[in-house]
Amino acid sequence: MSRICVRTAAVAVLLAPLAACSSGAGSGAAAEDAKGGGTSATEDRPATVTVTPKGNGVRAGGTVRVTAAGGTLTSVGVTDDEGRALAGKVAADGATWVSIRKAAPGTSYTVTATTTTKAGTKSTVTSVLATAEADKVNKVDWRPGTKAVVGIAQPISLVFDNPVTDKAAVERQLKLTTSNPTEGSWSWLEDWSGRDRIDWRPKEYWRPGTEVTLSAELNGTDSGDGGWFVRDYSTGFTVGGSQMVKVDLDRKQLTLERNGQAVRSIPVSGGTPGGDKRSWRGTAVLMAKEGTINMNSETVGLGDAYDKMVDRSMRLTWSGMYAHAAPWNDRWFGNANMSSGCIGMSDTNAAWLYAQVRPGDPFEITGKDTKGVVAPGNGFGDWNVPWAEWQAKSALR
């Protein structure tokens, strides 16, 4: 979606009612009113409509309010320059209309309100308001992508370009729906990049076949410190079949399980014990299947240990832990952990595993000599946080 364009517009003057006079008819009408048989001039006057806020340079982030005096609102429409509606509701007494969404920055809105008096007099008035430009725009990078089919451990993850100081305001705008009852929670955390991030995950792994939709109605929301959102975001995905990968670094074995049953076990070699080359343990989630990539140890703080092209690369963390083909370590598979932190296997076994797994599949890794548990922001280490602690990190708890 492109950003809403700004057009500065002067506030239109509300249409003033016009009174028509006729010397003969006027006297007769007055006489009828005095007898109680006609409509008074006051009752026949169109309702007065007030729109707030009004003018140019209005601060964004507030609601638009329309009120009627001397009549009721029968319809209200508020649209921006691109014809998109700002939804709202008329009160039960018909006296007020308030927008459900907030006014976005750098946007001109046209308000059209139709009123009706007790005597049946209808009137339509139009007004224009324009909000000030945002000093700073906040953008979102989210996963998974739209229409993706993911594994049972895939969280919904939103990473923000700028800091979010009003986390509650942002979280309130995130609407998640699932095709079956699923208990879950949002949780704020720090991404590996150092940026603010919010993830949603279920209490337990997803039920296969669950359809998930996220509507992030952020347009017009101030994330704090002047970081405005100027668009909405949405994504929808489906959870695929139940499968997980279990990696036992003590036994140097990797097992793919599907629907709770072992499909195949293969020998592997994990990170070298006793130093920075150890692997992580805990639950890592397959982030992406990256194919053939260049791996350079200097990018993960390991000096000049290696710089080579690696096939069947399956990313597990942002810090550089992968499962991949490692034919140069052939003699160690099933015998010793001698990698620089990744989970290596033969070309044949890597090709087989690569074809079986999908992003979102959990890799449950155990082993005595590891660097520790995968942190929540290091890839999708969300599952390593106890459920009560995860819930407590919601800004709305």
Side-chain angles (χ1 to χ4, degrees), residues 4 152 270 345:
I4 297 174
I152 58 175
M345 62 203 80

Side-chain angles (χ1 to χ4, degrees), residues 128-203:
V128 176
L129 66 96
T131 56
E133 288 274 10
D135 292 332
K136 182 169 58 179
V137 173
N138 210 343
K139 298 179 182 179
V140 181
D141 178 30
W142 73 93
R143 294 176 183 234
T146 302
K147 296 183 180 180
V149 178
V150 301
I152 58 175
Q154 176 70 56
I156 300 101
S157 184
L158 286 74
V159 181
F160 302 93
D161 277 3
N162 292 315
V164 179
T165 55
D166 193 346
K167 291 179 170 58
V170 172
E171 190 173 336
R172 285 191 194 96
Q173 301 306 116
L174 307 179
K175 315 296 181 185
L176 189 81
T177 57
T178 59
S179 60
N180 54 57
T182 304
E183 182 181 2
S185 176
W186 291 103
S187 184
W188 288 91
L189 55 144
E190 182 180 327
D191 187 63
W192 185 256
S193 64
R195 295 181 293 171
D196 283 330
R197 170 175 149 188
I198 186 171
D199 284 9
W200 193 100
R201 73 163 176 88
K203 182 178 181 180

